[in-house]
Amino acid sequence: MKFGTVAIIGRSNVGKSTLLNRLLGEKIAIVSSKPQTTRTRIMGVVHVEGAQIAFLDTPGLHKPEHLLNRRMVRTAVETMEDADLFYMLMDATSLPGPGDLTAVKHMKAALAKQLRPVILVVTKIDLVNKQKLLPILDRYGKLFAWTEIVPVSAQADDNVDRLLTVTVSYLSSGEGAYGDDVVTDQTMRTLAAEMIREKVLQETEEEVPHAVAVEIDEFVEQGKLAKIRASILVERETQKGILIGKQGERLKAIGTQARLEMERLFGMKVFLELWVKVKKAWREDEQTLMQLGY
């Protein structure tokens, strides 16, 4: 039996959460086209023949502008310290940029404390012409002396099995740390908040997504029914108006989409109430960030 922890790292929007969900075969991490979607460490456990792997999804490594962002980067850095192996994700649809170099810098700092295998995972290969892929892989390959380079498409499930096989070969012998039925450390309460935030990200543009957080005010299970009341926090009255929409239509759409996703994942009916509240500069408020789990 083999066991190990793998930190999934990289700049924002390279597909870390999409890859985690594909590896698990279950959606536990929200995804969107907006940068810095993931704000906390998310663990997902994959059980394969002869091995158990604890994957740690992390916030994108970026230049932080708010206290929230500084905490996000700190979370990613601390997660690297706990991992046995790294996946460094880079996007095949673009050449190495400042964000990738920042991620490599953080990775090198973590490896200076403790040397570990690093697999370069080049993502989104389904979006690139095959003839153009080799030069892109070559450019990324020169950034560091990677232990392995594995191109994948999590969206198309291309080469993900090979990535798992390569990963197992670098794990140490040891019993699994989690039961066979454990998939994630995320509670239903946390998952509910994240699903609501994901639908906000999908329904809004520009400055609203980064200024949004979700707080679960009440989560009550009654047999096969979950009653959930949640507050969506924004920083300005204008953002509140955008979220609610004309005659409440946008907020209703967010609630409907989030409820349906919760019912699918939780396997029960969900009664969901949403409220939008203004809390100025919450991203710079230490107490609010702690309360939200950031």
Side-chain angles (χ1 to χ4, degrees):
M1 186 72 182
K2 287 187 168 186
F3 173 76
T5 57
V6 178
I8 305 174
I9 59 176
R11 65 167 174 82
S12 298
N13 273 123
V14 288
K16 296 183 294 296
S17 297
T18 301
L19 178 61
L20 175 66
N21 291 336
R22 174 61 71 182
L23 289 164
L24 293 176
E26 182 65 79
K27 182 177 177 180
I28 65 163
I30 67 171
V31 294
S32 85
S33 60
K34 311 295 192 299
Q36 298 148 36
T37 296
T38 300
R39 290 175 172 172
T40 60
R41 180 194 65 77
I42 301 171
M43 185 190 75
V45 182
V46 172
H47 307 266
V48 296
E49 187 175 353
Q52 185 184 90
I53 313 168
F55 289 100
L56 307 174
D57 187 17
T58 64
L61 291 162
H62 63 284
K63 187 176 180 180
E65 295 180 4
H66 298 276
L67 178 58
L68 169 63
N69 300 80
R70 291 196 292 274
R71 283 178 174 243
M72 288 161 59
V73 171
R74 187 180 71 189
T75 294
V77 170
E78 289 176 349
T79 300
M80 283 191 274
E81 294 176 1
D82 296 334
D84 302 310
L85 185 152
F86 299 162
Y87 284 176
M88 172 60 80
L89 268 60
M90 295 189 178
D91 187 341
T93 64
S94 62
L95 292 173
D100 298 301
L101 299 180
T102 296
V104 170
K105 180 181 176 182
H106 281 291
M107 179 198 71
K108 287 180 177 179
L111 293 175
K113 297 178 182 178
Q114 182 185 346
L115 195 61
R116 284 154 289 182
V118 184
I119 299 174
L120 171 63
V121 182
V122 182
T123 61
K124 307 180 186 180
I125 61 170
D126 58 312
L127 302 179
V128 178
N129 183 291
K130 299 302 179 186
Q131 292 181 333
K132 296 180 179 179
L133 184 58
L134 284 178
I136 292 169
L137 293 176
D138 184 60
R139 288 285 294 274
Y140 279 120
K142 291 176 179 176
L143 294 179
F144 184 73
W146 310 105
T147 308
E148 299 272 0
I149 300 176
V150 183
V152 305
S153 168
Q155 200 71 44
D157 198 14
D158 187 2
N159 228 25
V160 176
D161 285 344
R162 178 171 176 264
L163 177 60
L164 272 175
T165 300
V166 169
T167 303
V168 170
S169 71
Y170 287 99
L171 300 181
S172 300
S173 297
E175 290 300 315
Y178 305 96
D180 293 340
D181 59 342
V182 174
V183 176
T184 183
D185 62 348
Q186 302 293 289
T187 65
M188 289 174 65
R189 193 182 187 99
T190 299
L191 288 168
E194 286 292 87
M195 287 176 198
I196 295 165
R197 188 165 67 87
E198 179 184 62
K199 304 314 171 190
V200 171
L201 295 177
Q202 292 171 356
E203 286 285 331
T204 57
E205 299 294 337
E206 298 177 6
E207 90 278 5
V208 176
H210 296 298
V212 164
V214 177
E215 186 171 22
I216 301 298
D217 303 312
E218 184 180 43
F219 192 116
V220 179
E221 288 185 62
Q222 297 176 344
K224 283 291 184 178
L225 173 68
K227 292 184 176 182
I228 304 170
R229 286 195 305 106
S231 297
I232 302 174
L233 304 184
V234 293
E235 293 186 321
R236 293 196 290 273
E237 287 290 341
T238 52
Q239 295 166 345
K240 180 178 179 178
I242 291 170
L243 261 183
I244 293 173
K246 187 178 180 180
Q247 297 180 332
E249 289 179 0
R250 180 169 285 123
L251 186 61
K252 183 179 179 181
I254 290 168
T256 299
Q257 293 169 37
R259 176 181 59 78
L260 291 173
E261 185 130 0
M262 289 179 209
E263 289 180 342
R264 181 194 62 79
L265 184 60
F266 299 162
M268 61 173 64
K269 295 293 292 182
V270 172
F271 176 76
L272 177 63
E273 281 188 282
L274 294 179
W275 304 90
V276 183
K277 299 178 181 179
V278 176
K279 190 172 184 63
K280 294 181 180 179
W282 68 262
R283 285 179 288 179
E284 299 290 354
D285 188 293
E286 185 94 31
Q287 186 175 348
T288 300
L289 291 176
M290 291 179 65
Q291 190 175 320
L292 292 167
Y294 300 142

